[in-house]
Amino acid sequence: AIWHFYVDPAHRKKGVGSVLMDRLKRTGQIIGAKSIWVETNNVNYPAIQMYQKLGFSLCGLDTSLYIGTNSDSCDEAAIYLVCTI
C-alpha cells in the first residue's frame, strides 16, 4: 500500500506525477493487481484533474472520513477514484 502520493510543488505540471503513476500501474500489473484506488479531498481539484487525466474515474464519496481532523471544520469530503490496470 502507498499511503501518500505527492509531487513537490516546484516539480508539478512537468509530468512527474504521470511518470510515477505509470510506474505504479506497471508494478500493479506485475503483481496481479486489477485496479488502483486513490483518495483525495473534494477541495483538491488539481489532484482530481490529474487523476482523471491518468484514467481514473470517480467511484465514491465519504463525508465522514475527516470528522475529528483539521479538515472537519472545512466541510471537506473524501473523494475516491479508481483506475483499471
Side-chain angles (χ1 to χ4, degrees), residues 7-17 46 49:
V7 173
D8 185 271
H11 300 285
R12 291 179 184 162
K13 302 215 182 264
K14 297 178 182 176
V16 174
Q49 286 183 305

Side-chain angles (χ1 to χ4, degrees), residues 30-73:
I30 290 168
I31 65 169
K34 302 297 181 203
S35 61
I36 298 173
W37 290 64
V38 296
E39 176 267 322
T40 189
N41 62 45
N42 61 307
V43 298
N44 193 353
Y45 189 62
I48 295 168
Q49 286 183 305
M50 182 198 73
Y51 288 128
Q52 289 179 323
K53 177 183 161 199
L54 296 175
F56 286 77
S57 58
L58 181 64
C59 65
L61 170 73
D62 185 344
T63 58
S64 66
L65 183 65
Y66 302 131
I67 292 175
T69 71
N70 290 339
S71 297
D72 187 15
S73 62

